[in-house]
Amino acid sequence: MQSFTHETHATRVVFGAGSRQFLPRELDQRGIRRALVLTTPEQTELGHEIAGILGERCAGVLGSAVMHVPVEVARSAIDAARRLGADGCVAAGGGSTIGLAKAIALESDLPIVALPTTYAGSEMTPLYGITEDGIKKTGRDWRVLPRNVIYDPELTLALPVTLSMTSGMNAIAHAAEALYAQDGNPVYSLMAEEGIRALAHALPRLRTAPADLDARSDAQYGTWLCGTVLGNVQMGLHHKLCHTLGGSFNLPHAEVHTVILPHALAYNADAAPEALARIARALERPRAVAGLHALGQSLGVPRSLRELGMAADALDRAADLVVQTPYPNPRPLERVAIRALLQRAYEGAGPG
Ligand code: NAD
């Protein structure tokens, strides 16, 4: 067996339908007395429900979270947390809301309790991003890792079906790249394979029965595992491509992951045969790339960058940006091959 290091950073995780009712207990566990509740503008109703559960321990509800954490939004949230005397944050939402809580934690060390409502997995990672002058700066800091996470599947019932599918594919992407990460280890590989398996089973059930709480819960179980590996091992070409396309061309996060994943895995297939075999096993399909492509088709998710609003004449610049800085990937970064990958993804062609 290959040598490896395994380090754990504890997050307390609570699962179960209705488990948001345990929020006061989780705050007690962290010694939080006054929590600022964060949501997006679209989810303020949820924020007020959470405020009701917290009662006098709610310092306020701030519904200002938006995608990619603009620095002005982060600064104003940091000010609000100070002004309201908050000693912790409750982030009720997806990656955007949890991202805002992380920006506050980075500045003030306030502990985060997260109630995820998508399958993006940010609640299990020390990764943060803040956008200034159109450039998203990302980093890793264990201070921003949520200390407590409550996976209540009832909070995902309102997530539209299409976003449920693409968000689930976003989670699968974390696990797929963890399986060939150079700093991976056998424990994270187990989690990654099980995470893919759980989501590949849950998503088709959710597509036909979006109110199926068991399927919602299974998807959150997969999300937990996929988010954990995202937070602990280095991602490769797939995440780099998605980060570039989302950050520099303003394409929607989960949808980009969904379109790119089979193409990125096809690029790496010959250089990472063991990882691909594990992905195929988790999908219960003979081959990983074809299996993911077929899963996407069965879920009715977007297939092309064109339908996400990417301009054809931006593909050259995207390829340049992706190869600009070196990062770990099983197959070396070859601009010509990456440009061809982007062309296929743009057109919605099958992965090469
Ligand atoms: P999101 O948080 O941006 O949510 C998308 C939209 O769906 C928002 O309008 C939100 O209000 C709405 N929504 C969320 N949950 C809902 C629900 N249950 N019911 C109804 N509406 C709901 O989407 P996301 O994909 O979770 O997050 C994307 C962002 O998170 C990106 O900025 C990405 O870079 C970041 N992210 C960070 C990490 C990390 O580890 N730091 C991991 C994954 C994603």
Side-chain angles (χ1 to χ4, degrees), residues 39-43 46 65-69 93-99 102 116-129 136 154-160 163 167 170 174 227 230-231 243 253-254 257:
T39 68
T40 59
E42 298 82 19
Q43 289 182 287
L46 169 63
V66 288
M67 190 88 88
H68 303 314
V69 195
S96 298
T97 305
I98 295 166
K102 288 176 169 181
T117 65
T118 69
Y119 307 128
S122 176
E123 64 280 359
M124 294 309 302
T125 84
L127 310 172
Y128 63 86
K136 188 167 179 177
E154 291 175 6
L155 298 182
T156 62
L157 287 174
L159 190 65
L163 189 49
S167 193
N170 182 190
H174 308 327
L230 170 68
H243 186 79
H253 178 80
H257 274 273

Side-chain angles (χ1 to χ4, degrees), residues 2-350:
Q2 211 183 326
S3 311
F4 67 88
T5 305
H6 183 76
E7 186 180 340
T8 46
H9 295 264
T11 293
R12 182 176 143 99
V13 176
V14 177
F15 267 87
S19 54
R20 62 190 178 286
Q21 296 304 331
F22 299 134
L23 192 49
R25 181 190 76 191
E26 297 305 301
L27 294 194
D28 285 344
Q29 210 256 336
R30 287 295 160 200
I32 300 173
R33 282 156 305 155
R34 274 176 70 75
L36 177 62
V37 178
L38 303 170
T39 68
T40 59
E42 298 82 19
Q43 289 182 287
T44 48
E45 202 177 310
L46 169 63
H48 291 294
E49 187 199 327
I50 299 299
I53 296 172
L54 291 179
E56 289 182 352
R57 298 172 73 179
C58 179
V61 177
L62 193 64
S64 61
V66 288
M67 190 88 88
H68 303 314
V69 195
V71 70
E72 311 77 43
V73 174
R75 282 195 191 120
S76 142
I78 292 162
D79 288 347
R82 280 203 192 107
R83 198 177 59 249
L84 295 165
D87 60 0
C89 287
V90 171
S96 298
T97 305
I98 295 166
L100 181 59
K102 288 176 169 181
I104 298 174
L106 197 61
E107 183 80 16
S108 62
D109 276 338
L110 292 193
I112 302 169
V113 176
L115 294 115
T117 65
T118 69
Y119 307 128
S122 176
E123 64 280 359
M124 294 309 302
T125 84
L127 310 172
Y128 63 86
I130 298 176
T131 305
E132 187 163 15
D133 298 329
I135 295 169
K136 188 167 179 177
K137 289 185 198 137
T138 56
R140 168 185 288 265
D141 191 321
W142 288 105
R143 287 180 304 147
V144 309
L145 178 74
R147 314 280 173 86
N148 299 52
V149 177
I150 298 177
Y151 283 107
D152 183 342
E154 291 175 6
L155 298 182
T156 62
L157 287 174
L159 190 65
V161 174
T162 310
L163 189 49
S164 299
M165 300 302 113
T166 54
S167 193
M169 293 296 280
N170 182 190
I172 288 177
H174 308 327
E177 289 224 295
L179 284 165
Y180 53 59
Q182 61 173 18
D183 57 350
N185 73 37
V187 176
Y188 291 132
S189 292
L190 283 173
M191 295 177 104
E193 192 175 328
E194 174 67 357
I196 296 172
R197 191 202 59 74
L199 280 154
H201 271 268
L203 294 180
R205 285 153 64 208
L206 275 185
R207 186 168 186 230
T208 47
D212 180 342
L213 264 186
D214 261 351
R216 290 273 179 200
S217 199
D218 289 351
Q220 283 191 316
Y221 165 63
T223 297
W224 169 49
L225 296 168
C226 295
T228 302
V229 297
L230 170 68
N232 284 280
V233 305
Q234 275 191 314
M235 297 286 114
L237 174 69
H238 169 78
H239 280 74
K240 178 69 180 178
L241 276 168
C242 294
H243 186 79
T244 303
L245 293 169
S248 303
F249 302 94
N250 203 26
L251 299 185
H253 178 80
E255 288 84 344
V256 171
H257 274 273
T258 304
V259 170
I260 292 293
L261 185 58
H263 298 280
L265 289 185
Y267 183 95
N268 282 330
D270 289 344
E274 269 181 44
L276 274 276
R278 291 188 79 152
I279 295 167
R281 191 166 66 192
L283 294 170
E284 293 171 9
R285 309 249 186 180
R287 288 166 60 223
V289 174
L292 266 175
H293 190 63
L295 177 65
Q297 264 172 339
S298 75
L299 299 178
V301 292
R303 312 294 317 155
S304 70
L305 294 177
R306 180 166 34 205
E307 66 191 288
L308 302 185
M310 178 99 186
D313 60 7
L315 296 175
D316 277 326
R317 196 164 101 75
D320 290 341
L321 289 171
V322 167
V323 296
Q324 226 166 45
T325 38
Y327 53 90
N329 190 61
R331 176 178 164 189
L333 305 182
E334 297 157 21
R335 193 198 175 281
V336 173
I338 288 173
R339 177 64 180 80
L341 179 166
L342 284 168
Q343 187 67 37
R344 280 194 299 278
Y346 174 79
E347 290 167 5

